Amino acid sequence: MEVETGGSLMRSGQAGESAVDAVVQQIRDLIASSRLKVGDSLPTERELCAQFNASRNTVREAMRILKAYGLVDVRPKIGATIIDNRMSRAFELFSFNTMELSRKSFSDVQALRGLLEVGSAEILVDKVNRSDLNELNDINAELAANHDLNEASEIDYAFHVRLVSILDNAAILDVYAVMKPVILRIMQKGKTRRTFMTETFSEHQGVIDALAARDRLAFQYRLRTHLMFGARHFSQEMEATA
Amino acid sequence: MEVETGGSLMRSGQAGESAVDAVVQQIRDLIASSRLKVGDSLPTERELCAQFNASRNTVREAMRILKAYGLVDVRPKIGATIIDNRMSRAFELFSFNTMELSRKSFSDVQALRGLLEVGSAEILVDKVNRSDLNELNDINAELAANHDLNEASEIDYAFHVRLVSILDNAAILDVYAVMKPVILRIMQKGKTRRTFMTETFSEHQGVIDALAARDRLAFQYRLRTHLMFGARHFSQEMEATA
DNA sequence: TAGGTATTTCTTGGTCCAACAAATAGATTG
DNA sequence: CAATCTATTTGTTGGACCAAGAAATACCTA
């Protein structure tokens, strides 16, 4: 078994701990000892240099690690603030080697979308507000404009992301970010049919209307139908090319 | 809507892309275009500097990111070799005990689990077979044995994964794999209460029974209750420490 | 004079450069 | 074959400058 070398998450003071890893550990300790929470600020880079007797480049490399792990957000002039994007990072890491574009992946992703979008109807009709509806309308209006296949798919995707964003659930948004490539492929497949764009537009419109009326059943029916049509087109396409 | 700033995994050439992010992307492109595989070596830092017209610090910060993501392993004199530790990195993300997972992360994940597990009731009672039930029973029986907190949480997690595995949906299983560290933490929190293990056992048993009887409503009710209890314990815990 | 606006200053992260230290693969030498 | 030497490569440091933006200041108008 390969021993974990160069690990920046190295536990307590290892022998061959590099200066950068030491600074990472010290910043972690600082966060813990100072009881820093999400939203709090870290000292400036130069202050950290002085505090840890490290050069600025070393501190910066340590910060890069913390940024990569989704623990801090660094902005010029603002400084480093503590965040917790670890879930997003985990999904991003995972997205590299998962979700290959097999037929089963497509149907699995569609099923997952169905569970999330249709299943959250109750919460959606409860939480949806005026600006949500406005933005959904805007996105859908954009869909009606002339776009090529890829642009239209992006807009279609944006519509569904905006829909689930009403839930205010970061985990679900992360899931959608991971599935994005697959979802786009599904949509592109479906859009090869000529009438697709107008169909999508009117189906989306029906979803929005049901949402505006806070009609859960209509919302579920229309959204489920919408998703199933996409799946059906896709199946036909796949069978034709298989 | 908040735009993803400072993201080192930023997709194709954004406007405000930093030099480091650009190098990260270029190195990834290099790996892809050169068909480099695990075990192959990257050019030296200085060669990358020349190739990308970037300073050595910039290249090094880019390397730190790639290291943090488990994509390369850098050793003095050896240079950078391509590895694939992304999966283990994803899990290590949550080994930062210095900072507690944010409360919202917990509730988001619980809500997502609810949508998936409770929402798929109809499919579950339809697809479940004898061996599914047997294995769920076996896992739950294991839960009744004496285990420490971590072991019990692992078993609890395995139960729910086995449950959704009935759906035969790889995308959902991937989602559970990524969320595993968070789910485990949720369960560990809940298990601080003394009676938790027996409660979990009987609640699981009720879920299995409903599933065996193909009673969708009972299944949903019991599973929802089960998940909500976990959430409630967690909320109490969080409020106590807040 | 008061209030708002334009300007200036100064802090801070982003990038680059040059140098040296430490480690070590590969060549050299005994 | 083994010890040693050398050259290369990463690790670290200190310094410098830039651009962006926040804070302080000066200015202008009503």
Side-chain angles (χ1 to χ4, degrees):
Chain A
M1 191 63 172
E2 179 84 11
V3 70
E4 181 64 20
T5 162
S8 308
L9 289 181
M10 209 178 291
R11 309 291 172 257
S12 57
Q14 229 76 355
E17 195 175 51
S18 74
V20 173
D21 292 332
V23 171
V24 168
Q25 183 60 45
Q26 284 175 294
I27 294 177
R28 286 181 55 187
D29 294 345
L30 177 67
I31 293 174
S33 64
S34 300
R35 296 271 186 277
L36 297 181
K37 291 184 174 297
V38 170
D40 294 342
S41 295
L42 256 55
T44 68
E45 288 181 356
R46 289 169 173 89
E47 284 172 341
L48 291 173
C49 294
Q51 194 164 344
F52 301 143
N53 284 319
S55 81
R56 194 159 156 240
N57 287 331
T58 300
V59 170
R60 280 188 59 79
E61 290 190 21
M63 289 296 243
R64 281 289 179 192
I65 293 172
L66 294 175
K67 273 172 67 174
Y69 277 86
L71 292 173
V72 301
D73 178 32
V74 182
R75 284 176 300 181
K77 183 61 187 177
I78 302 293
T81 58
I82 298 181
I83 58 177
D84 185 4
N85 281 353
R86 283 176 288 179
M87 282 270 297
S88 299
R89 291 293 188 257
F91 275 108
E92 287 175 14
L93 285 179
F94 209 74
S95 71
F96 280 106
N97 55 0
T98 190
M99 307 274 186
E100 67 183 63
L101 301 179
S102 70
R103 176 174 182 169
K104 181 154 188 335
S105 296
F106 283 131
S107 60
D108 285 353
V109 166
Q110 280 297 86
L112 177 49
R113 287 179 63 198
L115 283 175
L116 294 180
E117 297 186 32
V118 179
S120 59
E122 202 156 355
I123 311 173
L124 284 176
V125 297
D126 183 52
K127 294 188 88 165
V128 66
N129 61 36
R130 198 63 238 165
S131 78
D132 293 327
L133 293 170
N134 286 338
E135 289 188 32
L136 285 172
N137 268 315
D138 291 346
I139 295 174
N140 203 36
E142 186 65 24
L143 193 62
N146 273 344
H147 293 290
D148 64 32
L149 210 82
N150 292 334
E151 286 173 352
S153 297
E154 287 276 355
I155 297 169
D156 193 356
Y157 171 78
F159 178 86
H160 289 271
V161 168
R162 186 62 186 83
L163 187 67
V164 295
S165 79
I166 297 172
L167 298 171
D168 187 31
N169 187 314
I172 292 177
L173 288 178
D174 288 340
V175 170
Y176 270 71
V178 172
M179 298 192 305
K180 181 176 181 181
V182 182
I183 294 177
L184 286 181
R185 285 289 292 273
I186 292 174
M187 291 169 168
Q188 288 162 3
K189 286 281 186 187
K191 286 187 181 47
T192 55
R193 283 190 52 239
R194 182 146 335 208
T195 55
F196 181 87
M197 240 104 95
T198 55
E199 276 182 14
T200 302
F201 175 80
S202 60
E203 286 172 9
H204 282 184
Q205 194 57 54
V207 170
I208 296 176
D209 292 342
L211 207 53
R214 299 182 189 278
D215 184 340
R216 179 174 68 83
L217 288 179
F219 172 84
Q220 288 182 310
Y221 172 75
R222 289 176 177 165
L223 188 54
R224 200 192 313 267
T225 305
H226 174 53
L227 292 177
M228 280 174 59
F229 265 115
R232 190 163 64 81
H233 293 164
F234 169 69
S235 296
Q236 291 170 347
E237 181 71 20
M238 286 298 274
E239 276 157 17
T241 62
Chain B
M1 178 164 293
E2 179 84 13
V3 68
E4 179 65 19
T5 165
S8 306
L9 286 182
M10 207 179 292
R11 309 294 176 244
S12 59
Q14 227 77 354
E17 197 174 50
S18 75
V20 173
D21 292 332
V23 171
V24 168
Q25 188 57 49
Q26 283 174 296
I27 294 177
R28 287 181 54 193
D29 293 344
L30 176 67
I31 293 174
S33 65
S34 301
R35 298 271 188 276
L36 297 181
K37 293 190 174 297
V38 171
D40 293 343
S41 293
L42 255 57
T44 68
E45 288 180 358
R46 285 167 174 93
E47 285 171 340
L48 292 173
C49 293
Q51 193 163 345
F52 302 142
N53 283 319
S55 81
R56 200 165 149 235
N57 288 340
T58 300
V59 171
R60 282 187 58 79
E61 289 191 22
M63 285 300 219
R64 282 289 178 191
I65 293 173
L66 295 174
K67 275 171 67 173
Y69 277 92
L71 293 174
V72 301
D73 178 32
V74 182
R75 283 176 301 181
K77 177 65 185 175
I78 302 293
T81 58
I82 298 179
I83 59 176
D84 186 3
N85 280 352
R86 287 170 291 177
M87 208 57 60
S88 57
R89 285 286 187 245
F91 287 104
E92 285 175 21
L93 281 182
F94 300 95
S95 67
F96 273 96
N97 287 332
T98 49
M99 200 171 61
E100 196 51 69
L101 273 161
S102 68
R103 180 174 184 166
K104 183 157 186 334
S105 294
F106 278 128
S107 60
D108 285 353
V109 167
Q110 280 295 86
L112 177 50
R113 288 179 62 199
L115 283 175
L116 294 181
E117 297 186 31
V118 179
S120 59
E122 202 157 353
I123 312 172
L124 284 175
V125 297
D126 183 54
K127 295 186 90 166
V128 65
N129 61 35
R130 197 64 239 164
S131 79
D132 293 327
L133 293 170
N134 286 338
E135 288 188 33
L136 284 172
N137 266 317
D138 290 347
I139 295 173
N140 204 34
E142 185 65 23
L143 192 62
N146 272 345
H147 292 290
D148 64 32
L149 211 80
N150 294 333
E151 287 173 351
S153 297
E154 286 276 358
I155 297 169
D156 193 354
Y157 170 78
F159 178 86
H160 288 271
V161 168
R162 186 62 186 82
L163 186 66
V164 295
S165 79
I166 297 173
L167 298 171
D168 186 30
N169 187 313
I172 294 177
L173 287 178
D174 285 348
V175 169
Y176 270 71
V178 175
M179 297 193 308
K180 179 177 180 181
V182 180
I183 296 176
L184 286 180
R185 288 288 281 274
I186 293 174
M187 292 168 167
Q188 288 162 3
K189 285 281 186 187
K191 286 187 181 48
T192 54
R193 285 189 53 240
R194 181 144 336 206
T195 55
F196 181 87
M197 240 104 95
T198 54
E199 277 181 13
T200 302
F201 174 81
S202 60
E203 286 171 9
H204 282 185
Q205 194 57 54
V207 169
I208 296 176
D209 292 343
L211 206 53
R214 299 182 190 279
D215 183 339
R216 179 174 67 85
L217 289 178
F219 172 83
Q220 289 183 309
Y221 173 75
R222 287 177 178 164
L223 188 53
R224 200 193 309 269
T225 305
H226 174 53
L227 292 177
M228 280 175 60
F229 265 117
R232 192 162 66 81
H233 292 166
F234 167 68
S235 296
Q236 291 171 346
E237 180 73 20
M238 286 297 274
E239 277 157 18
T241 62

